[in-house]
Amino acid sequence: MLIAPTLPPAATPRRSRIRRALLGGGLADLGRLPRYAAFAILGATLIWAPITGYLRTAPLTYKSSTSLILPGSGASASLNLNGIGQASSYASSAFASNAVSPTETYKRLLNADRILAAAARSLDISMRDLGRPRVSLVDQTSLIHFEMTGGSPVEAKARGEAILDAFFTELDALRADEVATREDSGLQAIADYRDSVAQTRAAISTLQDSSGLLSVEQYDVLMDRHLALETGLRAQTATLAEKEAATASLSSQLGVSAEAAARTLKLFADGAYLSLLDEAARFAAQLAEAQSQFGPRHPQVVTARQGHDTARRTAQDLARQVTGLDDATLAGLDLAPQGVRADLLAQLVQMEADSRGARQQLEALRAQYAAGQRDLAAKAAAAAQLQDLERDFSVAEAVFASAIARAQSSKSDVYASYPLVQVLENPSLADRPSSPNRKLAYAAGGAATMMMLFGLMMGWIRLALISRLLTKPERSA
């Protein structure tokens, strides 16, 4: 069984003395009170004198705050030019890349010396008197806040507006310089493309002048015409064979050649010759009648025979003159082409003429075909080269037109490197000064005073605390 230890009676008076020393030991020594009071008054004076002097002498300062915002969406545009090419422009979102923060860029730009110098010149003050804007960024947003101070609300607002105007002016200058730089860099490429187009065009012109071939389409037309001529040549050959066969057949059936038939028709188309034939026929009839009645030496018979022979000789002489044939050939002519036979002779002559025309046409087609064959053979290589040059020219022209369109469309993409920024809040007009901050000064003075008093109190009771810490409680076994 455990028995709790009890303190001896002598321990109680000693504990009481220690408690009295702790509670009243410091209060009993009032000789230190004047010194502590003097120190407290001196400390309060040292604390509140600067604060009061600052609040009374510090000039009033006003703040004007401005808010900017960067839209987060991009913009794109596409332009199709018929027969020329396509031009596209695309401005990415300002926050599409994690490597570059446009808000940080603009924050640095707001504090750039060029902007501050431009704002100071607009206000006719120095950069030192203008001061620097206090720029802050809002996390997880595209907002930019900056503040400008001034001796009055109007002055602070004017400085904020000057900074804002200089900022946008500098942005426009940077964007214009970027566009000009891009345009200058693209001018050399455009010049190269133009030279390429001109060289290709010159090569095409030289080839056209030397070959006489203006385009590949012309060669295709010549080729189509040559093929059509070849088809016509074959058809004409068949037509000529058909006409010659028909002419030969009719000539064989009539027993006379086409030339003889033509001369026969020519001869019997002469009226004098026909009259002589009629005269010879009349004398032949008289001779026959006389011979039937009289003897061979009868004067009527002799007269009729002489008239008949004279008429025949005269007709033969006229036939020789008209046809240009000799007597032997004339003896073989059909001297009586009458009725249907005359029509057949005329048809034979017509068919012979058609055959000759077909033959001449065939010869002309053959000459044209041979000339076309030589022309196509001479222009085949030129056509292939011209096709390559025209293709190169089309490509060069398309690249040149696209480069121009791209150069022109890039001028509208002014927000590629410097994103669009808008004013969310214009420079504000302060309704009360921002400095000096009286509440903060009073709070700081009060805190300093409380800390001084607490330190004096700790110094007042330090002996009692030291005695308490040095005194060890007595323990009983």
Side-chain angles (χ1 to χ4, degrees):
M1 181 176 181
L2 297 175
I3 300 174
T6 57
L7 295 174
T12 300
R14 185 174 182 177
R15 182 178 299 174
S16 299
R17 288 194 302 270
I18 294 174
R19 186 180 296 110
R20 285 194 302 269
L22 289 173
L23 295 178
L27 297 177
D29 190 4
L30 297 179
R32 297 179 295 166
L33 184 59
R35 289 178 297 172
Y36 276 79
F39 189 83
I41 294 172
L42 180 59
T45 302
L46 293 177
I47 292 174
W48 288 101
I51 294 176
T52 304
Y54 170 72
L55 293 177
R56 289 183 177 181
T57 60
L60 297 179
T61 303
Y62 295 86
K63 287 184 179 180
S64 177
S65 60
T66 308
S67 297
L68 304 177
I69 186 171
L70 278 71
S73 61
S76 62
S78 179
L79 176 64
N80 291 318
L81 303 176
N82 188 19
I84 296 179
Q86 179 179 3
S88 300
S89 62
Y90 179 75
S92 302
S93 172
F95 304 94
S97 175
N98 295 327
V100 179
S101 174
T103 52
E104 288 291 343
T105 302
Y106 286 166
K107 178 181 178 180
R108 178 66 185 87
L109 188 60
L110 283 170
N111 282 281
D113 292 340
R114 289 191 295 179
I115 292 181
L116 298 180
R121 284 195 302 270
S122 65
L123 296 175
D124 197 17
I125 59 176
S126 64
M127 287 180 56
R128 183 175 182 180
D129 294 336
L130 177 66
R132 291 185 177 273
R134 182 178 179 182
V135 185
S136 61
L137 304 179
V138 181
D139 295 337
Q140 304 300 323
T141 66
S142 59
L143 295 176
I144 302 176
H145 296 290
F146 71 90
E147 297 177 347
M148 288 299 295
T149 59
S152 66
V154 175
E155 182 181 356
K157 182 179 180 181
R159 291 183 179 183
E161 291 177 347
I163 291 292
L164 195 61
D165 294 340
F167 173 71
F168 280 109
T169 301
E170 184 65 22
L171 270 184
D172 293 338
L174 290 173
R175 289 165 180 164
D177 181 69
E178 180 189 9
V179 171
T181 304
R182 288 182 178 179
E183 185 176 1
D184 293 339
S185 62
L187 288 178
Q188 182 61 41
I190 292 176
D192 294 339
Y193 296 149
R194 184 185 296 108
D195 294 340
S196 177
V197 171
Q199 292 174 1
T200 308
R201 181 71 265 179
I204 291 176
S205 299
T206 302
L207 182 60
Q208 289 174 342
D209 294 338
S210 61
S211 64
L213 187 64
L214 299 181
S215 64
V216 180
E217 289 76 12
Q218 180 186 1
Y219 183 82
D220 295 337
V221 171
L222 292 176
M223 178 62 72
D224 294 339
R225 186 181 301 172
H226 184 71
L227 295 176
L229 185 61
E230 182 179 4
T231 303
L233 182 61
R234 294 176 181 175
Q236 187 64 24
T237 302
T239 301
L240 177 60
E242 180 184 359
K243 289 181 179 296
E244 288 180 345
T247 302
S249 177
L250 183 58
S251 176
S252 176
Q253 291 176 2
L254 294 176
V256 63
S257 65
E259 184 180 359
R263 293 181 183 274
T264 300
L265 293 175
K266 181 180 180 182
L267 180 61
F268 280 90
D270 192 289
Y273 181 75
L274 293 178
S275 299
L276 290 174
L277 288 181
D278 292 339
E279 184 70 19
R282 186 173 59 82
F283 280 112
Q286 291 179 1
L287 177 61
E289 183 179 359
Q291 286 179 348
S292 64
Q293 296 179 2
F294 307 103
R297 296 185 181 274
H298 190 275
Q300 291 184 1
V301 175
V302 173
T303 300
R305 184 181 295 114
Q306 291 178 353
H308 180 265
D309 293 341
T310 301
R312 286 186 63 87
R313 283 195 302 270
T314 303
Q316 189 172 3
D317 293 338
L318 182 60
R320 191 184 304 111
Q321 293 176 5
V322 172
T323 60
L325 300 176
D326 55 8
D327 294 339
T329 306
L330 287 175
L333 292 180
D334 190 353
L335 300 179
Q338 300 294 331
V340 178
R341 185 172 179 83
D343 295 337
L344 292 176
L345 290 176
Q347 185 178 359
L348 177 60
V349 173
Q350 181 65 38
M351 291 175 63
E352 177 65 20
D354 292 341
S355 298
R356 289 183 179 180
R359 190 177 297 108
Q360 292 295 329
Q361 185 177 1
L362 179 62
E363 294 298 328
L365 289 176
R366 286 176 178 173
Q368 292 179 9
Y369 181 79
Q373 189 72 25
R374 292 191 298 270
D375 187 50
L376 288 176
K379 293 180 178 179
Q385 186 178 0
L386 183 61
Q387 186 176 14
D388 294 338
L389 290 175
E390 287 182 349
R391 183 172 57 252
D392 295 342
F393 179 76
S394 299
V395 173
E397 190 177 25
V399 172
F400 176 62
S402 299
I404 294 178
R406 186 168 55 252
Q408 295 298 323
S409 62
S410 64
K411 294 181 180 180
S412 62
D413 187 14
V414 296
Y415 304 112
S417 300
Y418 300 95
L420 176 65
V421 59
Q422 295 174 310
V423 179
L424 184 62
E425 295 180 357
N426 291 319
S428 61
L429 186 64
D431 55 353
R432 58 179 178 272
S434 60
S435 177
N437 193 335
R438 297 182 179 276
K439 292 182 179 180
L440 181 61
Y442 290 147
T449 303
M450 293 298 295
M451 293 177 65
M452 180 195 68
L453 294 177
F454 182 76
L456 291 176
M457 184 185 68
M458 293 298 294
W460 183 268
I461 62 174
R462 70 184 185 282
L463 294 178
L465 290 176
I466 292 174
S467 298
R468 177 69 180 86
L469 293 174
L470 294 178
T471 302
K472 296 181 178 179
E474 296 180 358
R475 296 182 181 181
S476 60

